[in-house]
Amino acid sequence: MEKYFKRKSSSEQSLTPSPQARDPQASDPQALDDGRRSKKLCPMKKRFLEFDLEMLPSDPGLRPRISDYHPSDRDEIRRYYFLKGPCQPKEINFPPRKFGDASRKFIPDWYTKFGGWLEYSQKEDAAYCLCCYLMRSHVGEHRGSGEAFITEGFTNWKKSDRFQVHVGGLNNAHNQAWRNCQALMKQKQHIEGAMCKQSRQVKVEYRIRLTAILDCIRFLLSQGLAFRGNKESPSSTNKGNFLQLVDFLVNHNETIREVWKNTRGNLKLTSPPIQKDFVRVAASETTKAILDDQGDSLFAIMIDESRDISVKEQMVVVLRYVNKKGQVIERFLGMVHVSDTSASSLKLALESLLAKHKLSLSRIRGQGYDGESNMRGEYNGLKSLILKENCSAFYIHYFAHQLQFALVALAKKHSEIASFFNQVATLSNVVGASAKHRDILRESQIEKVDEALKEGEISSGRGLNQEATIKRAGHTRWSSHLVRYLS
């Protein structure tokens, strides 16, 4: 969490409240589309009051200039990029360039020598400087001023000594930019911190409020519960899970109640935009823990398509790997919105997600999808496009998917099994449509269980003879219960 607070507004960076704290009712979110600025807004006239930092492009060839953002947002964006570190893909195919009769390409070993600032763009096949991009908004017209490492990208691999020339002396523009980046991260030296001096007691109270809010958010996330309610006003009898849980915690903890009583409304950290910020941080930290557990080991990917409640097509990616303890682990990596479900679009979305987490297609050793043509197509499917770049990424059709299709086909062909499922479907319709019928069936079943227990036909114990509902059988994909019945 500490990393997150370092890149928030000045009041949150020091974990102290400020008179300029965000008003919970003054939210006018403007999202970034694919990490780029919305063309409908002039960044110098309107400020993005809310946007997802995680959606900012990692590839330096896709980033807009820092000067294109609103001045009030630039420091926050700079902190995010500096904390994230330079974009340094390693396990990719660096394309060669012709220099006379010789071919040369970018060498990953340069990361070690210039690792603090050197970046590589897969899109442009060019090198960039992170600190100069962040702190040098206005550069000269000549390459000697560093323009090649900020906007155009350096591509002359034959003259790798230009990296050292770019660094230059102690007072060179690059070193000045590097010192400015380091100074930006020292929040206590900022003028905002000097103008907003708070007592130690205020800082302690702010941390108590923050800890309480984080505990509530962690609980809801771990249980998979919704945050928002239909009506969240103070007069509402049910303000949603998040606010109700906060009220419960305040009412049952004397310390939190005393702090909460003296807190102004815009410092309680309960507004929807702040809730979303905390959730994004929790997701980022969870993903980081998964990637740390995965380490440098090889992995397999499992992909499926899914629609959310807003009917947006999304690609779901799951990693399967062997951790350091030798255990086979499957973990959800992320979802990517795809407007086009063609194989090429899905591949671009997958590459974008992997690049965001510093993974590459070259480390994939297995891929598992369903039987759709855009996924497993022999020539133009997603698995074929990946195999063209990585011949070790073996494709396996979902075993559960194949078993399901086989058992459903068998159930339809066998007359006795088909008759059984027809009777189950009829029974489910008759009983499930009426509460009275359910009660009759339940009472009848209880009598049979009691009689069987008395005669010793069945045994009693914890978890035995529990009441269950009749499942409705279906024929389509994962909603089918025929596999469950037959197994």
Side-chain angles (χ1 to χ4, degrees), residues 306-375:
S306 161
R307 286 188 180 183
D308 61 8
I309 194 171
S310 60
V311 198
K312 288 184 177 179
E313 195 73 27
Q314 299 182 105
M315 183 177 71
V316 182
V317 181
V318 174
L319 290 185
R320 180 181 174 91
Y321 60 91
V322 178
N323 65 6
K324 298 174 183 178
K325 298 180 181 179
Q327 301 170 328
V328 179
I329 305 295
E330 292 181 2
R331 290 289 184 264
F332 169 77
L333 181 63
M335 287 192 303
V336 184
H337 171 60
V338 287
S339 57
D340 180 14
T341 57
S342 64
S344 57
S345 299
L346 294 177
K347 181 174 178 292
L348 289 175
L350 175 62
E351 288 179 328
S352 173
L353 180 64
L354 294 179
K356 177 181 176 181
H357 300 298
K358 297 184 179 180
L359 300 173
S360 68
L361 293 178
S362 62
R363 292 170 59 185
I364 297 177
R365 290 299 180 269
Q367 42 181 331
Y369 320 123
D370 56 21
E372 298 295 329
S373 59
N374 62 336
M375 306 297 287

Side-chain angles (χ1 to χ4, degrees), residues 372-385 387-388 395:
E372 298 295 329
S373 59
N374 62 336
M375 306 297 287
R376 61 167 295 184
E378 190 66 27
Y379 300 103
N380 296 317
L382 177 61
K383 67 110 173 179
S384 300
L385 296 179
L387 283 171
K388 289 178 182 178
Y395 167 75

